[in-house]
Structure formats: structure tokens, C-alpha cells
Amino acid sequence: MDALLADRDTRIIVCCGSGGVGKTTTAAALGVRAAEHGRGAVVITVDPARRLAQSMGLTHLDNTPRPVPLPEADGAAPPGTLHAMMLDMKRTFDEIVEAHADPERARQILANPFYQSLSSSFSGTQEYMAMEKLGQLRQSGDWDLIIVDTPPSRSALDFLDAPKRLGRFLDSRLIRVLGAPPATGAFKLLGAGVSMVTGIIAKVVGAQVLSDVQRFVGAFDAVFGGFQERAERTYRLLQARGTGFVVVAAPEGDALREAAYFIERLRRDRMPLAGVMLNRVHRAGVPGLAGDAALAAAAELAATGEHPLAGAALRLHAERARVAARERLLMDRLAAAHPEVPAVEVWARPEDVHDLAGLAEIGRALAGGAER
């Protein structure tokens, strides 16, 4: 991880993984560690939870990158900087409208009911806007490293799929035909058949909805065009040298199956996989004491009725050893299935990370953890 962060050619890191494995914490910790390497980093999260802001000591995050006050190390501030933001998909969409339209046309689009629904709840909009924001941050040149925290579960890879789906929808022939006013050439060429189809659609969705779509597309097409092309441009950026995907997983069956799915999908799409981060890995407190031996000793103490606290400690150790052995078996299976993928393990902590000092510790663990 340190080599990845210190490499100035690394410009984008995308953290993906199933929910509840510490993906957001990992993204934030990578940002803190990158600043310690002298990088100018920005962390962008598309997870609606507020954990990132809380762990970074900020009252809130919004669609504008906010500076993070980094803790000093050895009496000196880190040589780099860190900013953080949370994607507001509707605000990002609004910004695109305002940037590409004259004020009157922008007002018409922003007030259109179909646009309001599209920009706030349409499937794929969030991931498309994440692509847009990533492209904006990369183009601005204000940061030399962008770290993206993606949505949980397999929807993390919607970050790759959904922009294409939305782009195809917005560039589709159906939308263009529906958006064409009846007097235009599109309807004259296609004749009564289209009129019949749109009449049916109007009955199903309502004439007002169809009218909203037509007005939206009429304004939208003149301003944008090529949504799919824009998504594909950022998609190619994700495939390029300088991007690295980090798959975050916990040593649990479901999470590791998701991790294997991500690894295979990234390889199939020719996405640069930097490695796997195995989070919250347990270890026995006394590695030399086997779990079975601890249980046997605890049983002997229980039979004598002496040293109840020692017996409880032995039973606790046996349980931790059992958990550690089960996790090791699961992690070894993943390693055997994907021996070419580097992995780093971060030990389980007694409590959740909730501040910058904890994030800095996780960053150091990522750099010098039990790597294999």
C-alpha cells in the first residue's frame, strides 16, 4: 500500500467491497497515509452514511471538497494535504446543467419534473455522477491523488456499469423520438405508427409526464449530447495506468465471496487491481497455545474449582483461536484461488475507528501490516 501511495504515477484509487467491511474507513485511512507521503489527496464517498465526516473530525461533508485538519506526527504536520467530500448526485447533475446551459435554458431544465426525478432517483444516476465528479476532480489538477469510496455490495461495480446504462438511456432512439415535438421531422418520417405508440404511452404514464419528457429532452439534447461518450471517457481513465482498485473484505464467507467476485470482474474488464485489503483479522493472544490445549486446561481447573478467572481466560483464548483458525482457512482459500493478487491484513481493533488518530493508525497498519 505504501508503494502504491508513494508512487506519483498513481492518480486514482478506487476502494470497492461489500457493506460493513470497513471500506469507508479504508478510503479515509489511505487518504491520511497519502498525505503523510506528501500527496495532495482528496477522498470522495458516494456512501450516504456520515461516518467519513465524523472520523475526519468534520461536522459534515457535501459536494465540495473540504480540507481535513491532519494530526501532527513527531511534532510536525504531514507534508501533504487531505480533502474530503460526499457526492451529492443531484447537485452534481445541477452543476453540469448550469455549466453547459445558458441561464434561461438551465432554469427550464432544473424546473422540469422529469429532470428532477431523473437527477434524484433514477437508477444509475448516482454512479454516473460519481464518474462525472471523478472526471471533474481529475481535470481540475488540484489534487494529485483521488480516492473513491464506492457504494457497498455488488453495487460497487455499478460504478462501472450504471454510467453506460444511463448514457445509453439518455442517448437512446426512444428518448429522442419521445422528446421530438409532433411537428418535427422525426414524427413526419415515422408517421402514424409513432403517434399511436406515444398515444399508448401517454395513456400509461399520463399526458403530463410525456409532455415533461418532451420538454426536457428538447432542452437537454441541445445542451449535452454524448452522455455515453463522457462516461466511456472516464471508464477509460479507470483502465489506464495510474489507477488502482483496492478490494476491501472482512475474513467472513460472504465478504470473501464478494471479494472474489470483484477480483474476477475487474480482471475481466481489464481494470488495474492493486490488491486486497483484509480488514478486522483476529489473532490469538498467545499464538503458541493451541485452542484445544486451552480448553483442556480450563476443564481441569473447572474440575478442581480453583482459579475461575484463569479458566475463563483460557476459554476466551480458545474461542479466539477458533475464530482465527476459521478466518485463516477462508483467507487461504481466497489466496489459493487468486495467488497473483497481493493482500495485506489489518488486525481487528477493540473499538471502531472514530477519529483522525485512529485513521492514521489504520494507514500505518496498511503500510506495515501482516502482508502476504
Side-chain angles (χ1 to χ4, degrees):
M1 289 295 186
D2 258 8
L4 180 69
L5 294 172
D7 185 354
R8 295 286 170 166
D9 289 334
T10 302
R11 307 303 299 272
I12 298 171
I13 295 176
V14 181
C15 297
C16 56
S18 57
V21 297
K23 182 168 50 63
T24 300
T25 300
T26 299
L30 288 173
V32 173
R33 187 66 178 174
E36 293 175 351
H37 279 287
R39 305 295 301 270
V42 58
V43 176
I44 172 174
T45 179
V46 294
D47 186 340
R50 297 297 187 268
R51 292 167 303 193
L52 187 62
Q54 294 167 355
S55 64
M56 290 185 165
L58 301 174
T59 56
H60 72 285
L61 288 177
D62 55 22
N63 211 44
T64 301
R66 305 288 179 185
V68 177
L70 294 170
E72 293 186 353
D74 299 326
T81 61
L82 177 61
H83 288 70
M85 63 165 289
M86 181 184 299
L87 179 75
D88 182 332
M89 65 176 181
K90 187 178 188 312
R91 184 59 212 149
T92 301
F93 213 148
D94 291 350
E95 289 172 353
I96 297 171
V97 172
E98 293 164 350
H100 292 82
D102 60 76
E104 177 57 25
R105 191 180 295 273
R107 185 193 64 77
Q108 293 174 4
I109 295 173
L110 296 178
N112 185 282
F114 179 76
Y115 167 79
Q116 292 172 3
S117 176
L118 175 73
S119 61
S120 60
S121 59
F122 192 84
S123 175
T125 301
Q126 184 182 55
E127 288 78 13
Y128 182 89
M129 291 305 138
M131 287 282 205
E132 285 280 353
K133 182 58 69 173
L134 172 59
Q136 291 174 10
L137 294 176
R138 182 70 177 85
Q139 189 173 12
S140 73
D142 293 335
W143 298 275
D144 62 16
L145 178 63
I146 303 168
I147 301 170
V148 182
D149 167 34
T150 56
S153 191
R154 291 193 181 185
S155 64
L157 290 180
D158 281 347
F159 186 72
L160 306 178
D161 291 335
K164 288 187 175 181
R165 292 200 305 270
L166 181 63
R168 285 195 297 266
F169 169 75
L170 293 173
D171 284 342
S172 69
R173 183 179 302 174
L174 174 62
I175 286 295
R176 295 182 182 277
V177 168
L178 290 179
T184 64
F187 273 84
K188 289 179 179 178
L189 283 173
L190 296 174
V194 172
S195 298
M196 182 178 68
V197 171
T198 55
I200 294 172
I201 293 174
K203 289 180 180 179
V204 173
V205 303
Q208 184 59 50
V209 172
L210 183 57
S211 176
D212 292 338
V213 172
Q214 290 174 336
R215 287 198 303 270
F216 166 74
V217 175
F220 178 88
D221 192 49
V223 175
F224 300 101
F227 252 56
Q228 191 170 351
E229 180 183 348
R230 292 154 68 93
E232 289 176 352
R233 187 164 58 244
T234 306
Y235 189 89
R236 289 192 296 271
L237 178 64
L238 293 176
Q239 290 179 313
R241 186 178 185 277
T243 297
F245 282 79
V246 174
V247 177
V248 184
E252 302 165 359
D254 289 345
L256 291 174
R257 279 190 290 273
E258 290 288 297
Y261 173 84
F262 290 141
I263 291 169
E264 292 160 6
R265 172 64 195 278
L266 292 170
R267 179 186 295 126
R268 187 168 70 248
D269 286 5
R270 297 185 178 87
M271 294 290 175
L273 174 61
V276 176
M277 186 278 218
L278 297 163
N279 191 30
R280 296 198 292 264
V281 176
H282 292 87
R283 54 181 172 176
V286 184
L289 178 59
D292 291 345
L295 281 178
E300 290 181 11
L301 290 176
T304 64
E306 298 178 351
H307 308 295
L309 291 180
L314 286 167
R315 287 190 293 274
L316 178 61
H317 170 80
E319 174 60 20
R320 292 194 56 146
R322 183 190 67 81
V323 171
R326 177 176 56 82
E327 291 180 349
R328 176 56 52 197
L329 177 63
L330 293 172
M331 292 187 295
D332 286 348
R333 286 177 182 170
L334 180 69
H338 303 282
E340 77 289 355
V341 179
V344 62
E345 299 172 11
V346 175
W347 305 125
R349 297 166 56 91
E351 59 184 15
D352 290 338
V353 177
H354 54 78
D355 56 20
L356 281 164
L359 290 175
E361 288 182 17
I362 294 294
R364 288 189 288 273
L366 286 168
E371 189 171 4
R372 58 174 173 79

